[in-house]
Amino acid sequence: MTERTTVDITDAALADAARPLLDKLVSDRVASALTAQTATLWGEEAESEASIRLAWTTLHKSSRPLIGEIEALRTELRSEGVDRIVLAGMGGSSLAPEVITGTEGVPLTVLDTTDAGQVADALAGDLERTALVVSSKSGTTVETDSHRRIFAEAFAKAGIDAARRMIVVTDPGSPLAELAESEGYRKVFLADPHVGGRYSALTAFGLVPAGLAGADVARLLDQAAGVAETLSSDSPDNPALRLAAALAAAHDAGAEKVVLADTGSGIAGFGDWAEQLIAESTGKQGTGLLPVVVESPTAPGFADAGPDATAVAVGPSVAGSAVSTTGSLGALFLLWEYAVAVAGRLLGINPFDQPDVEAAKKAARALLDNPHALSGTEEPTAVIGPVEVYGPVGDAGTGTLTDVLREFVDGVAEGGYLAVQAYLDRLDDASATVLRSELARRSGRQTTFGWGPRFLHSTGQYHKGGHRNGSFLQITGAVEEDIAVPGRPYTLSTLQLAQALGDGQVLADTGRPVLRLHLTDRAAGLADVVRAVQELTR
């Protein structure tokens, strides 16, 4: 039996506010126009970009030929004893495959980090059984190129033909496509160039790594196909139109944050995928929707969302949720893509560009080109045990770490948000994630958590282009064993620090408060930071 795909607006006031927006979307025939890939839906300024970004509406049909190609390659690899898939990709190139494989319970090692420890863990796997999927739409993603270089060297040192273990997913004509051809890589999958990264879950970017890992990607396309006609209908029962109207109505009333909690959907990590879709699509021109992914519906920030946020259940409606969305994974991919694109129309922005993402990349590149700027010449404003403090701390700099954090948290704007940005090892430093709930509970502010540089490819756009009411807590850490990037004049730790400092610089230059805590001893420093946060009182 096909699982029903629904959007239920359980908050009566929100339902009333959304109704006129929904009626207008229906009367303007927005859903059918979107399916027909009408580029004028977002206004004249967005038309040029939209005209080359709408092929995702029919991917449940156009991606079908990939199924056979993926299965044939998987069979080939397994016949050679290669059954471990490592994915090197950032943002849209990694988030969907991670959700797909996590939901189906098949193993996929995802590298969306510049942390040397996490990359070393991936290298420590059985290389004899390993194939690397190098996934980049532009073909120039610095993190992904670094992973490719590191693995190519590791394969060669192990006596393995690196080219036979390299599988590429990229756009036609990209530098990566040209490199793959010249190097004779095992297989190149060219994705549809008329689909942006955050809408690419059902393209080769989502399907190839997930399918090679063993996920049933044909079923995923079937799930999307099963809801496609409903999402194309100009009807008030269209769940995508209902969700778009609810999000826009909430935003109009001052709830510019969307708190996402899984309530029993059976989908692993859907919020992390939706986070990029929402933040990059809407967070620009000083407006937008900030996604806040929480641990559960009982976590701080969901049932007590407050007037500046809308609690959205991924799964059945629960106490505290204002909206709930249910359905299979393939259906929800397509539903949310439709809803966010339509919400962009209601917010008056172009959902397909990301004008502020490049700023942090440029700043990081400038720092990489100037090693002196990364050589430790910046003096900390305070050193408290294994934690170096960087940023304006006032009188708190002579006190405890709790004093420093209290001053920082007290400075968060009314109705603003806290963003914790951890440039650490997502596996070995996983305890850092507790900071989100602890800070949310003690500050009373909506709080997000992102692993750096992963979040730069998702919420990074909103941080710089969305509502100007965020405060940013960066956490960096000392690296015990670094990894050189072959053919490049830097190591992973240098790149990681450049990304943190570059993004922090851009945020500070635009008037956003930034506090960086550097852990000279990661384990001890992280324990001290968590303890200091727990000592805060509201």
Side-chain angles (χ1 to χ4, degrees):
M1 186 176 70
T2 303
E3 184 178 354
R4 287 189 66 226
T5 306
T6 65
V7 168
D8 188 14
I9 308 173
T10 52
D11 182 281
L14 180 57
D16 287 343
R19 191 164 294 115
L21 295 180
L22 178 60
D23 291 343
K24 186 75 163 63
L25 292 172
V26 172
S27 64
D28 288 347
R29 305 182 66 82
V30 169
S32 60
L34 179 51
T35 303
Q37 301 178 21
T38 304
T40 56
L41 286 170
W42 300 273
E44 186 176 341
E45 288 188 11
E47 185 174 350
S48 176
E49 182 79 18
S51 67
I52 55 170
R53 289 289 179 260
L54 294 174
W56 54 268
T57 62
T58 54
L59 287 171
H60 52 283
K61 299 175 183 176
S62 59
S63 287
R64 291 281 170 184
L66 282 171
I67 297 170
E69 288 187 66
I70 294 168
E71 186 54 39
L73 179 56
R74 182 168 185 263
T75 300
E76 276 182 29
L77 291 170
R78 286 182 166 263
S79 72
E80 298 169 13
V82 178
D83 60 359
R84 175 177 181 255
I85 303 299
V86 177
L87 170 62
M90 302 298 296
S93 297
S94 65
L95 293 167
E98 190 166 54
V99 174
I100 297 165
T101 54
T103 299
E104 294 212 10
V106 298
L108 176 68
T109 300
V110 176
L111 282 181
D112 55 1
T113 181
T114 45
D115 190 85
Q118 195 172 329
V119 174
D121 284 343
L123 286 170
D126 190 346
L127 289 179
E128 292 289 342
R129 298 173 38 237
T130 300
L132 181 73
V133 178
V134 185
S135 187
S136 168
K137 182 175 176 64
S138 68
T140 60
T141 308
V142 64
E143 300 95 335
T144 304
D145 180 65
S146 298
H147 300 148
R148 180 192 63 80
R149 291 168 179 270
I150 290 167
F151 265 78
E153 182 178 79
F155 282 135
K157 286 182 177 179
I160 298 168
D161 182 354
R164 293 288 295 167
R165 299 299 182 87
M166 296 286 191
I167 297 146
V168 164
V169 184
T170 190
D171 273 6
S174 77
L176 180 57
E178 294 172 0
L179 174 72
E181 182 178 354
S182 66
E183 294 289 327
Y185 285 175
R186 177 70 173 257
K187 177 75 173 176
V188 178
F189 290 89
L190 297 178
D192 190 330
H194 290 169
V195 179
R198 54 191 176 273
Y199 290 82
S200 66
L202 300 178
T203 69
F205 288 107
L207 302 184
V208 168
L212 292 178
D216 188 344
V217 294
R219 179 172 60 193
L220 193 74
L221 292 177
D222 289 343
Q223 292 168 347
V227 76
E229 184 176 350
T230 299
L231 299 180
S232 302
S233 65
D234 296 307
S235 162
D237 296 325
N238 181 331
L241 298 185
R242 290 171 58 80
L243 179 56
L247 295 177
H251 183 275
D252 289 347
E256 80 269 18
K257 306 174 188 75
V258 181
V259 188
L260 299 163
D262 189 279
T263 59
S265 69
I267 298 171
F270 185 82
D272 291 336
W273 173 82
E275 181 179 59
Q276 185 201 24
L277 176 69
I278 298 167
E280 280 208 330
S281 297
T282 71
K284 56 201 74 172
Q285 298 176 18
T287 190
L289 298 163
L290 174 70
V292 181
V293 182
V294 301
E295 301 77 13
S296 74
T298 60
F302 188 79
D304 58 345
D308 63 330
T310 305
V312 178
V314 181
S317 179
V318 297
S321 61
V323 181
S324 64
T325 67
T326 64
S328 60
L329 177 54
L332 286 183
F333 275 151
L334 197 55
L335 162 62
W336 276 85
E337 286 169 350
Y338 264 86
V340 170
V342 174
R345 173 183 166 92
L346 294 174
L347 294 179
I349 52 90
N350 173 7
F352 305 113
D353 66 350
Q354 48 280 332
D356 301 290
V357 167
E358 191 61 27
K361 294 180 182 179
K362 287 180 178 178
R365 284 195 294 266
L367 289 168
L368 286 174
D369 291 339
N370 179 17
H372 179 72
L374 291 169
S375 63
T377 54
E378 181 189 5
E379 291 294 325
T381 48
V383 179
I384 306 172
V387 181
E388 295 177 346
V389 180
Y390 294 86
V393 294
D395 292 339
T398 61
T400 66
L401 193 54
T402 300
D403 293 331
V404 170
L405 286 167
R406 181 180 293 112
E407 181 177 287
F408 179 69
V409 169
D410 286 348
V412 179
E414 185 70 29
Y417 67 95
L418 268 167
V420 182
Q421 304 171 338
Y423 289 84
L424 300 171
D425 186 324
R426 188 151 66 108
L427 304 177
D428 291 349
D429 301 321
S431 62
T433 58
V434 74
L435 292 172
R436 194 218 70 81
S437 59
E438 293 293 338
L439 279 168
R441 181 178 292 112
R442 285 162 174 77
S443 70
R445 300 286 189 261
Q446 288 294 342
T447 304
T448 67
F449 181 94
W451 292 106
R454 167 182 161 127
F455 78 85
L456 292 175
H457 298 259
S458 54
T459 50
Q461 167 60 43
Y462 184 98
H463 292 161
K464 293 174 278 289
H467 292 274
R468 297 173 60 94
N469 57 4
S471 293
F472 301 88
L473 176 62
Q474 290 189 333
I475 303 175
T476 56
V479 174
E480 291 185 4
E481 295 186 26
D482 209 351
I483 297 176
V485 180
R488 291 289 184 258
Y490 50 78
T491 64
L492 283 182
S493 70
T494 304
L495 174 57
Q496 185 181 45
L497 183 59
Q499 290 174 312
L501 297 184
D503 191 51
Q505 175 186 314
V506 173
L507 290 168
D509 287 348
T510 54
R512 272 80 165 176
V514 181
L515 176 69
R516 181 166 70 93
L517 304 180
H518 181 73
L519 315 178
T520 54
D521 178 314
R522 286 200 184 192
L526 193 52
D528 282 1
V529 172
V530 172
R531 190 179 304 112
V533 168
Q534 291 172 335
E535 290 173 357
L536 295 174
T537 55
R538 289 184 62 174

